[in-house]
Amino acid sequence: MYKQGKYPIVSKKTLAKGIFDIEIYCPHIAKAAKAGQFAQVQAEGFFLRRPISICDINKDKGTIRLVFEVRGHGTDKISELNKGDLVDIIAPLGNGFKVLDKGKKAVCIGGGIGTPPMVGIAKEYGENATVISGFRNAAAVILQEDFKAMGCDVQLCTDDGSAGRKGFVTDALLDVLKSEKPDIVYACGPMIMLKNITKICEENGIYCQVSLEQRMACGVGACLVCVCRTVKDGQEFNSHVCKDGPVFDSEEVVFDE
Amino acid sequence: MYKQGKYPIVSKKTLAKGIFDIEIYCPHIAKAAKAGQFAQVQAEGFFLRRPISICDINKDKGTIRLVFEVRGHGTDKISELNKGDLVDIIAPLGNGFKVLDKGKKAVCIGGGIGTPPMVGIAKEYGENATVISGFRNAAAVILQEDFKAMGCDVQLCTDDGSAGRKGFVTDALLDVLKSEKPDIVYACGPMIMLKNITKICEENGIYCQVSLEQRMACGVGACLVCVCRTVKDGQEFNSHVCKDGPVFDSEEVVFDE
Amino acid sequence: MNRINVNFCGVEFKNPVIPASGTFGYGREYEQFYPLSKLGGISVKGTTLHRREGNPGPRVAETPSGMLNSVGLQNGGVDKFINYELPNLVTKDTRIIANIAGSTIEECAELAEKLNGTAVDMIELNISCPNVKQGGAAFGTDCNVAGAVTKAVKDVTEKPLMVKLSPNVTSIVDIAKSVEANGADAVSLINTLLGMRIDIRTRRPILKNNVGGLSGPAVFPVAVRMVWQVANAVKIPVMGMGGIATWEDAIEMMMAGAGAVQVGAAIFADPYAPVKIAEGMQKFCEDNGINNISEIVGTVKPW
Amino acid sequence: MNRINVNFCGVEFKNPVIPASGTFGYGREYEQFYPLSKLGGISVKGTTLHRREGNPGPRVAETPSGMLNSVGLQNGGVDKFINYELPNLVTKDTRIIANIAGSTIEECAELAEKLNGTAVDMIELNISCPNVKQGGAAFGTDCNVAGAVTKAVKDVTEKPLMVKLSPNVTSIVDIAKSVEANGADAVSLINTLLGMRIDIRTRRPILKNNVGGLSGPAVFPVAVRMVWQVANAVKIPVMGMGGIATWEDAIEMMMAGAGAVQVGAAIFADPYAPVKIAEGMQKFCEDNGINNISEIVGTVKPW
Ligand SMILES: Cc1cc2nc3c(=O)[nH]c(=O)nc-3n(C[C@H](O)[C@H](O)[C@H](O)COP(=O)(O)OP(=O)(O)OC[C@H]3O[C@@H](n4cnc5c(N)ncnc54)[C@H](O)[C@@H]3O)c2cc1C
Ligand SMILES: Cc1cc2nc3c(=O)[nH]c(=O)nc-3n(C[C@H](O)[C@H](O)[C@H](O)COP(=O)(O)OP(=O)(O)OC[C@H]3O[C@@H](n4cnc5c(N)ncnc54)[C@H](O)[C@@H]3O)c2cc1C
Ligand SMILES: Cc1cc2nc3c(=O)[nH]c(=O)nc-3n(C[C@H](O)[C@H](O)[C@H](O)COP(=O)(O)O)c2cc1C
Ligand SMILES: Cc1cc2nc3c(=O)[nH]c(=O)nc-3n(C[C@H](O)[C@H](O)[C@H](O)COP(=O)(O)O)c2cc1C
Ligand code: FES
Ligand code: FES
């Protein structure tokens, strides 16, 4: 059941330059939400809503967390909201990540602003999760303390080596695979990163889910604008990120050449 | 010299239901402004600015006062602004009222939300001003204390007699004329009121200035949308409320039949 | 008392507010917000003879007070509509308008024929889709072709036939007259205005299709003008749409001459928009002593 | 270093940002905000052979992200322009574009002739005003008439001739090709889209003229599309306008194919808009290592 409403922001933090973390009190949504789902957030003065992943869910407090980067005018407007303000959202949307049984091991990989949705899913695995996140540089690093607090094995990469190891998240993943084979890999980030992770997982026979992005209008599956190419049984067809996704089994995604 | 800028609201009051009084700190504008001029006020999210008369000017404090009624979505948005917020205005615009020499007597007539511009002009005359204002009923009455504080002779009319005398401002004007002939009459309010006042002044040989309204775009005289019909030397032609007005000698205005 | 039920083209609608084709799918998603029975009807996603994959993504670009789309009639084909969507829709206690589009005149007729005998209440023949290469706008911008396709469909259909017009023309009145003369029972307008946006960083059009259809509040004044012109030029009823977002907009459109209205892009901003609009209309009637909303249709008095 | 000077149609502009005709008068009012020398040029209020009073008021209605106007070419006539406005304008160190409109072909030619020998830098022949009964849009919506009026003016004028096109047509490309074939040195587009608003309380059109021309950000995607289509269809330069409000918009319009841009309704919201746009363009060039803004014209790469 989708909910639309104006909900109060109960806390707001700046995680890095231009990256904001808001916690919204919306008990019905928090109750229904799963890791990997998203919210359609209204930016005042703009016609279309902005899709933002649900970073974390606190069912007890009745809150969800959205972590987003200012990328354009709409997210800039959303970033002007403060504690106590109401934010108009539709949520929870999309399918969310598949959660395996207790005891299974997961690797959660976030690239840049693809990192936030990893919080919710890594939480499901706690100490059984390895979280690999990649950022441009030390100044862009976010959410590492959250992952540590959940007991995850945290591996940080930066492009320039200014924090954690220098290099790509795929390098870190290959290293992890040397010592253990996880039951599932979750990934969110740039297409090229998802493509490479998909390839690695395929080669290693690991089940992998990726969270995709596409420009959206309705966010619920009605307007068909948020198309992505998928494949099943050798047959290519259009899926829709908002309803069929944003999470797809990586083997079903057709990555452009 | 027109000024455009975002200026802080230093105080905000509710004068009656849906009628707000904001004082804006804008020293350059306050210094240049004259009674009867107006400001083009931006309402966030709306394309065109809203013209609002300058109600009062405090050159010492560097402030102007705008008193406005919520009539539609734009004024509603402006009414959401609070003390401390910035308001984007262009001012001072238009010609303003002609002020006669010290000692001359004026009658200032405001109908409803046409009353605010009378504050600034009545102030110029103080005890030599008679202020007649008319409202629907007692609940809609505004600004009477301001006029009293300036020493004016204050005459209040309401349509239903729930405050002051029952009847139209024109009745009050006719009564005033019985005992004295003012040197000038200023009026702002509905067209029908201005038309009747114009007729009375004409019959009594009294100089009269009226402040008109028209829908505007630029507010400075460039776009020619804010047309009104005027007459000079027997010749009818188009004038523009924002630049040629909003104040016109009443004998120059062509009132529709 | 329901003051907003309307008879449009012989079909009784419980209210004159209908989600516009392509913006509401088949109602399955929005049913999660409210029962579809609150709607006057639903104009379903444009249906073609065969399954269509539509255009590649991105298919949407934001614009000031509006959006461009280039979906390109993605749909499962008419058989899937009849066999899968329609049986579900008929249980929803709302009117069903089948929006159809073909790339040839014959295809349009065949589509209409397939819908004979189904529970569809009305056909909306889309001759104005800016996002497909054949048919679509090509049909809607030429009086003769528009007339011919109307006639071909009218000859075979047993349903009331509404033809959906393109605003991308010099004279929408001429097209409207032509489809009226060829048997259309109603017209609906406007479809989207052709537009484009460019990403100045990549120097690429935002839409993979380069251009797309503009809708949303931005187009409202154009839609009101066209509805007013067409309503004054034809005798058949006009279904008005284009940028309606509030009940005031809907009233304005009806005063311009629309017997009923469709609401499209506004639903993306507020899923409840059609319901709120219907409620606002009911209240407007009550507040203004109007017994039935139909009384306001075309009542604008030009200067 | 000035990176935004452009040569448009043989005329040197210090920057490509020009207030659009009818939105800036003759510059007298806006000079109170900034010196006119900051502007690439000014397209002056539409000038007719004789003084015109224009349409009755109200002449403006707000719309979502835009506005309708129905001024109807109020102006003092060409002689007043030449004798009163031009002597003032020539002292302002900016280019002067004379926007002219006639109700017959002969009148257009006569107007252009009168401007021979004056300090006007360029003529913008408006064949697209939606707010006058004769001439105006009637000229702009028919290829043959558009061609004929272009030819008549071209035959007599000694100035570069730019023809201003109407967006209220099925194919703006056809009109553009016709005026090019008949000697236009450039085209400018778009003029306003015809629209209408109704006051639902009074059931009267807001504009006394009933309908008016839509401009402002709402029309921007339509304008970008038309500029792109026309720039790809003709060899003469295109001056782009319609809804430009920010420097990003101006860059987008130039990438679509505009060699220079006009800014209209946005000035009402922010009088400084043209100046800010020029400054933003200069910075864009600096930030992106572009030596001259002309390098970006028409560089959008379609998919
Ligand atoms: C399922 C999903 C989850 C997302 N989760 C997050 C998140 O958790 N944190 C975060 O910072 N960002 C997230 N994004 C990306 C975020 O939606 C965009 O950064 C945002 O829409 C940009 O809006 P803007 O107004 O700043 O940019 P503008 O460029 O001004 O936006 C213009 C239009 O393009 C759309 N758009 C632009 N970029 C994107 C994009 N990358 N994806 C989808 N639409 C886009 C906007 O929504 C808007 O409609 C997610 C996107 C999707 C699809
Ligand atoms: C010179 C002048 C001085 C004014 N002074 C005052 C004042 O001191 N206090 C006050 O309360 N009101 C004043 N008004 C009227 C005020 O401008 C309108 O009430 C206001 O513009 C309505 O805006 P809205 O968004 O609430 O209404 P909407 O109806 O939503 O506005 C839609 C459009 O119509 C225009 N519009 C609607 N009504 C009027 C009107 N009566 N005059 C001009 N434009 C209108 C709006 O500006 C806007 O562009 C003045 C008008 C003028 C021309
Ligand atoms: C995403 C989207 C898809 C659309 N698909 C169709 C369609 O399949 N058939 C059709 O006739 N119109 C289609 N339209 C046009 C709408 O039905 C409507 O005519 C137009 O959007 C104007 O109304 P609006 O401004 O309220 O959206 C579509 C519009 C949008 C936004
Ligand atoms: C108030 C107003 C008056 C206009 N007058 C003229 C005119 O006299 N001649 C002309 O060619 N265009 C005229 N236009 C059209 C503009 O020059 C421009 O083409 C149009 O407004 C689109 O640009 P914009 O969206 O930036 O305003 C006028 C526009 C407005 C808003
Ligand atoms: S955004 Fe409408 S279907 Fe996905
Ligand atoms: S509002 Fe532009 S001339 Fe008056």
Side-chain angles (χ1 to χ4, degrees), chain D residues 29-50:
Chain D
E29 292 77 20
Y30 287 101
E31 204 174 11
Q32 299 203 34
F33 294 100
Y34 44 83
L36 303 182
S37 61
K38 295 214 174 222
L39 303 168
I42 298 175
S43 177
V44 301
K45 175 66 197 167
T47 302
T48 52
L49 203 50
H50 305 292

Side-chain angles (χ1 to χ4, degrees), chain A:
Chain A
M1 209 68 177
Y2 310 140
K3 301 265 175 241
Q4 179 264 334
K6 295 188 181 180
Y7 299 96
I9 294 175
V10 294
S11 84
K12 180 186 179 184
K13 278 182 277 188
T14 305
L15 300 188
K17 189 161 176 288
I19 300 185
F20 299 90
D21 179 348
I22 56 177
E23 191 178 356
I24 303 167
Y25 179 72
C26 49
H28 294 288
I29 291 172
K31 197 174 158 205
K34 298 193 299 171
Q37 291 188 300
F38 69 99
Q40 276 278 68
V41 185
Q42 188 176 74
E44 209 198 315
F46 293 84
F47 190 65
L48 296 176
R49 290 168 180 267
R50 269 58 182 168
I52 303 291
S53 294
I54 296 174
C55 166
D56 198 4
I57 306 156
N58 189 325
K59 295 191 196 274
D60 296 338
K61 277 173 72 183
T63 61
I64 61 170
R65 257 172 91 191
L66 305 181
V67 172
F68 63 95
E69 185 177 21
V70 172
R71 291 259 196 97
H73 296 298
T75 45
D76 192 36
K77 192 76 201 178
I78 298 169
S79 77
E80 287 174 11
L81 292 170
N82 283 312
K83 184 174 162 174
D85 290 341
L86 298 178
V87 58
D88 186 330
I89 60 175
I90 305 177
L93 299 172
N95 55 1
F97 294 112
K98 183 173 292 176
V99 183
L100 301 187
D101 295 340
K102 278 257 156 343
K104 301 277 184 186
K105 285 187 189 298
V107 176
C108 307
I109 313 178
I113 198 62
T115 306
M118 293 305 137
V119 173
I121 188 64
K123 202 182 191 180
E124 300 282 348
Y125 294 88
E127 295 181 3
N128 287 324
T130 301
V131 178
I132 305 174
S133 25
F135 301 93
R136 278 188 314 284
N137 54 40
V141 173
I142 54 171
L143 298 169
Q144 300 303 299
E145 295 309 317
D146 290 80
F147 294 121
K148 282 180 197 153
M150 294 172 337
C152 310
D153 171 15
V154 177
Q155 308 210 8
L156 174 63
C157 314
T158 53
D159 297 351
D160 65 357
S162 55
R165 67 185 275 178
K166 182 177 159 127
F168 296 129
V169 291
T170 39
D171 304 333
L173 173 61
L174 287 171
D175 279 359
V176 169
L177 294 187
K178 275 179 203 154
S179 56
E180 65 161 349
K181 186 177 158 183
D183 300 291
I184 192 164
V185 168
Y186 302 99
C188 183
M191 273 310 241
I192 179 71
M193 173 190 120
L194 300 184
K195 185 176 171 178
N196 292 336
I197 291 172
T198 296
K199 188 148 166 277
I200 294 170
C201 289
E202 211 169 274
E203 286 164 0
N204 289 274
I206 304 166
Y207 181 37
C208 171
Q209 287 200 312
V210 294
S211 178
L212 302 186
E213 288 191 3
Q214 181 53 286
R215 288 175 185 254
M216 295 186 179
C218 72
V220 299
C223 73
L224 309 185
V225 303
C226 62
V227 74
C228 67
R229 291 300 283 174
T230 51
V231 62
K232 219 168 197 165
D233 306 328
Q235 182 85 36
E236 270 199 30
F237 58 99
N238 281 340
S239 286
H240 293 91
V241 172
C242 71
K243 198 182 179 185
D244 306 317
V247 177
F248 292 87
D249 287 355
S250 66
E251 56 180 28
E252 293 179 7
V253 177
V254 179
F255 292 99
D256 282 344
E257 290 319 297

